[in-house]
Amino acid sequence: DMKQSAIESTLSVHNALINACASRAHSLANLGKAKKNQLQRLKVETDPAVALLKATQQLGQLEDEGHAPDGYTYLALLRCCAGAGEVARAQRLLSRMLDTGVAPNELHFDALLRACARAQWIKRSDQWNDHLKAGRLESACDCYSRALETCEEPAEVAALHCNRALAELKLGQHTKCVADCDAAIAMQPRYGKAFFRRADLTDPEILASSPDVLSATVLFVRLERQGTHGFRVLGERGRQ
């Protein structure tokens, strides 16, 4: 609209658009599985890298119009890199800041560290899931435990607890499994999968009579869209 009205975009306008991309990248990076699947069914893009691409394109337009990126520009771009786990690009941006005389501060370095953490998370999560799928349950538990020592993002912390709970459930460590499910729910109150695993270890009579546990399990069924099967399971448990 600004272009059609022959109104020139200012540096602040470009920065606001890049910052919006950064917020989008962060949100997409922390999507829960159920929400991600729901958005994908609606044909909504869920890859944080796409937000980074749009931010990079906006940077190009900014420079084409004769503006010079400032500290706010670079911070938003680095936040995009953090969401997408793009360490190499974040490093290049930081180097470019220094080359052009834009002094980075602690926020810029924090974004770079978050990009490193995100990239490591993506790489390591594949390895942890391989342990779990291959039946190396104790190794999977150890991996999840080490990750929990350094992970700070609420959605990722909840996922780590929930995945460790699955390994503990298969190992017969029911007390630990319940504790991890509760920890996951504390971080993400609408984490359906954690509720479902928690319900698996709940006495059938409690499940049949407790509105809280029952409603939580129904919530999982709704979120995961497993309607018929989920309600059949609930019915069988209620009759036991």
Side-chain angles (χ1 to χ4, degrees):
D1 289 343
M2 291 179 69
K3 288 183 177 180
Q4 291 176 355
S5 302
I7 300 174
E8 292 186 4
S9 299
T10 63
L11 178 60
S12 296
V13 170
H14 286 292
N15 283 348
L17 292 171
I18 295 173
N19 194 55
C21 293
S23 297
R24 180 66 175 169
H26 176 77
S27 297
L28 293 176
N30 293 288
L31 276 181
K33 183 178 178 181
K35 184 64 175 179
K36 186 174 183 178
N37 289 341
Q38 181 183 18
L39 290 175
Q40 288 175 340
R41 284 193 292 268
L42 295 172
K43 307 300 182 183
V44 176
E45 181 56 62
T46 58
D47 187 355
V50 175
L52 174 57
L53 175 62
K54 291 181 178 179
T56 304
Q57 293 171 343
Q58 194 65 42
L59 173 64
Q61 292 181 22
L62 177 157
E63 293 176 320
D64 288 344
E65 293 178 10
H67 302 294
D70 62 6
Y72 294 106
T73 312
Y74 284 112
L75 179 58
L77 288 166
L78 285 166
R79 288 180 61 216
C80 284
C81 292
E86 288 282 353
V87 180
R89 188 168 298 186
Q91 290 173 326
R92 290 196 298 271
L93 284 168
L94 201 60
S95 296
R96 183 178 173 184
M97 286 183 70
L98 296 170
D99 292 341
T100 56
V102 181
N105 58 32
E106 65 274 10
L107 295 177
H108 296 94
F109 287 108
D110 178 71
L112 174 59
L113 290 173
R114 288 182 180 276
C116 293
R118 180 69 187 170
Q120 189 177 40
W121 161 264
I122 293 170
K123 180 179 179 181
R124 287 163 62 186
S125 64
D126 290 338
Q127 297 173 344
W128 303 331
N129 289 333
D130 287 342
H131 281 308
L132 200 56
K133 291 176 182 177
R136 297 188 291 270
L137 303 176
E138 292 182 355
S139 296
C141 284
D142 289 341
C143 288
Y144 294 130
S145 297
R146 288 197 298 270
L148 282 166
E149 293 175 0
T150 56
C151 187
E152 296 181 353
E153 289 291 342
E156 294 176 358
V157 170
L160 287 168
H161 277 296
C162 195
N163 286 344
R164 188 170 68 177
L166 175 59
E168 290 163 343
L169 178 63
K170 292 183 177 181
L171 285 168
Q173 299 173 352
H174 293 174
T175 300
K176 290 183 177 180
C177 177
V178 168
D180 268 324
C181 288
D182 288 345
I185 292 167
M187 296 299 293
Q188 296 284 87
R190 293 178 62 84
Y191 198 172
K193 191 174 293 185
F195 277 121
F196 191 77
R197 285 180 187 152
R198 182 72 170 81
D200 267 342
L201 294 175
T202 303
D203 184 272
E205 293 183 5
I206 297 177
L207 179 60
S209 62
S210 170
D212 291 337
V213 177
L214 185 59
S215 61
T217 309
V218 172
L219 173 62
F220 167 81
V221 174
R222 188 184 308 132
L223 291 174
E224 297 291 327
R225 293 195 175 183
Q226 294 179 354
T228 303
H229 173 69
F231 284 112
R232 190 185 73 240
V233 171
L234 287 175
E236 290 173 355
R237 289 178 178 172
R239 290 194 296 272
Q240 289 178 352

